[in-house]
Amino acid sequence: MSVWIAIGFGALDLVESEYAADGFDIVVVPATPGGPVFLLGEGAELWRRMAAGPVTVASLSAHEQEVARGLAEMGLASGDEGHPSRVRELNRPWLVSLFHELVYALISNVAASEGIDILFIKGPTLHAQGLRVREHSGDVDCWVRPGDDRKLAGAMEAWGWTPLFLPFTGTTVTHSLTLVAGEWGCAVDVHTSFPGIGLPPTEAFEALYAGSEMRLFAGAMARTPRVPEHAVIAALHDMRPYDGVPAGASAIEKSEFVLRRGGRSVLPVVSRLDAGFVLSNPLERVFGQEAAPFKTAAAPRDWGMRLETASSRRHFKALRLLPIRQRPAVLYRLVWPHSDTMRIAMGDRSATRLAVLRARVRRVGVSVRKLISRR
């Protein structure tokens, strides 16, 4: 080995951040599973040189070589100039939360290492595009092809995220898989579809991915929807029923706002995604007669299920949407949830198998009593 280079799954320059007051110069997500590493002093100075480098071993003092080896042990440096996680530039944060920006970079790099195409939706990008007033989001939303959600979830477990497997996970009924935050404190929603879009999930992803744009998060280039597509996604999010209750006046106003900001270019996007049924009301308010064709759009096949207020009836309707071969496994998980899901529900990630078993039995008992009371 003759040189050192900087590596990482995301990095930010902290010179003008609140962390600079504590002496920190740089924060880096290592290229191996672990939390963000804050660098200061000679470690930060050497890593910065490596990012601008490569830095030759011969140019380093014995002490600097020891520092370089320490950085390498932390997954922040390498002697391989062709390392896939090489960092060549250092940018300052643009999100309100630098930890969230690092999560974007981390997910982008993990997805790339797994060969997963990924699109980041909603969140601070909406603000950057002028589609939302609020800057910050509490979690990170991304979109992948059906099937890649489980693959990404498996890869993210090593970094501290736990997938919340629900009974309908892996079917067309569930639109996203939630990765529950560990020490990073930022949950991730991995979408494979979006409520209100009638186009089949894979086709919808391909359409949005093909027309996406690049955006930088903590040194990592990632794809986000363009303004018209993102406006439609945000409007659909506002128009979703919650616990079976249709969108109210406030939600419709928010949808109107974002569609107006998106401009007339949203109309062909709505057509392409077959989202006219859900958005017909706010579209008509914003675009008048231009939106008239959407008044006769057909409802998405799962919309009736989403408008059920009772979970039992919602589950029954959801089951009917599934191929018969998938129903037994879903029924089993409705009665007997995944062990990690139970631990999350219990609020105890370290719960023993016996404790999980008891919680499952109690859950079945509660469900039986509810069914008897409704007879």
Side-chain angles (χ1 to χ4, degrees):
M1 183 185 69
S2 60
V3 299
W4 285 107
I5 59 155
I7 63 172
F9 271 9
L12 289 169
D13 191 331
L14 303 179
V15 292
E16 293 186 356
S17 75
E18 59 185 295
Y19 296 92
D22 296 320
F24 295 113
D25 298 310
I26 300 168
V27 61
V28 188
V29 179
T32 52
V37 179
F38 287 82
L39 300 176
L40 70 165
E42 58 187 9
E45 190 275 333
L46 181 55
W47 194 91
R48 195 183 293 272
R49 285 166 56 194
M50 290 177 177
V55 173
T56 63
V57 173
S59 69
L60 299 178
S61 67
H63 176 67
E64 288 174 326
Q65 289 185 37
E66 184 179 345
V67 173
R69 286 191 291 270
L71 292 171
E73 290 175 2
M74 290 187 286
L76 307 181
S78 171
D80 177 12
E81 287 190 65
H83 196 288
S85 301
R86 181 174 179 176
V87 177
R88 298 177 182 271
E89 62 177 324
L90 195 56
N91 305 102
R92 295 174 185 176
W94 67 274
L95 299 194
V96 171
S97 165
L98 68 83
F99 283 99
H100 281 65
E101 187 166 348
L102 292 170
V103 171
Y104 276 94
L106 170 61
I107 297 170
S108 178
N109 277 290
V110 170
S113 68
E114 295 291 327
I116 298 172
D117 290 329
I118 189 167
L119 187 69
F120 289 94
I121 61 173
K122 301 192 298 179
T125 299
L126 288 173
H127 175 78
Q129 292 174 324
L131 297 173
R132 190 177 77 178
V133 175
R134 179 166 52 92
E135 290 186 65
H136 181 60
S137 289
D139 56 10
V140 170
D141 288 87
C142 57
W143 194 334
V144 299
R145 293 183 182 90
D148 280 346
D149 53 336
R150 286 173 172 266
K151 186 176 179 182
L152 181 60
M156 291 296 293
E157 283 192 87
W159 295 86
W161 276 266
T162 303
L164 180 60
F165 290 117
L166 300 177
F168 290 92
T169 296
T171 73
T172 56
V173 169
T174 301
H175 68 276
S176 68
L177 171 59
T178 296
L179 310 184
V180 180
E183 294 182 1
W184 288 76
C186 173
V188 177
D189 281 333
V190 186
H191 291 252
T192 49
S193 62
F194 208 86
I197 292 179
L199 195 66
T202 300
E203 293 180 36
F205 175 81
E206 300 296 351
L208 292 166
Y209 190 81
S212 58
E213 61 187 25
M214 303 302 292
R215 194 169 295 272
L216 190 69
F217 295 95
M221 295 301 295
R223 291 185 176 273
T224 61
R226 293 176 303 187
V227 169
E229 288 83 357
H230 221 173
V232 171
I233 291 171
L236 286 170
H237 175 76
D238 292 331
M239 294 299 291
R240 281 191 306 169
Y242 285 91
D243 292 327
V245 180
S250 176
I252 294 173
E253 288 177 6
K254 289 172 65 178
S255 180
E256 285 182 57
F257 171 85
V258 73
L259 290 170
R260 185 173 286 107
R261 288 294 185 95
R264 284 180 167 76
S265 295
V266 304
L267 296 173
V269 175
V270 173
S271 295
R272 187 163 67 251
L273 297 179
D274 189 14
F277 175 85
V278 176
L279 297 180
S280 61
N281 191 336
L283 283 169
E284 184 178 32
R285 294 188 184 194
V286 176
F287 301 110
Q289 284 302 308
E290 290 182 78
F294 299 123
K295 296 291 289 184
T296 57
R301 62 190 295 267
D302 63 350
W303 208 247
M305 176 268 293
R306 296 186 183 281
L307 291 172
E308 282 292 350
T309 54
S311 59
S312 57
R313 288 197 296 270
R314 188 160 58 245
H315 289 158
F316 177 73
K317 285 192 172 183
L319 281 168
R320 294 181 63 184
L321 295 172
L322 301 179
I324 293 176
R325 68 180 183 279
Q326 290 185 344
R327 296 178 189 178
V330 172
L331 277 170
Y332 173 73
R333 284 302 178 196
L334 280 169
V335 176
W336 207 252
H338 192 280
S339 56
D340 283 340
T341 301
M342 287 302 305
R343 289 188 175 95
I344 292 170
M346 294 162 64
D348 183 2
R349 302 286 187 86
S350 61
T352 64
R353 284 185 292 179
L354 179 59
V356 170
L357 174 63
R358 287 171 174 165
R360 281 168 165 161
V361 171
R362 286 195 297 271
R363 184 177 182 278
V364 171
V366 170
S367 298
V368 170
R369 286 193 294 273
K370 285 183 177 178
L371 286 172
I372 293 174
S373 67
R374 288 174 183 168
R375 294 181 61 180

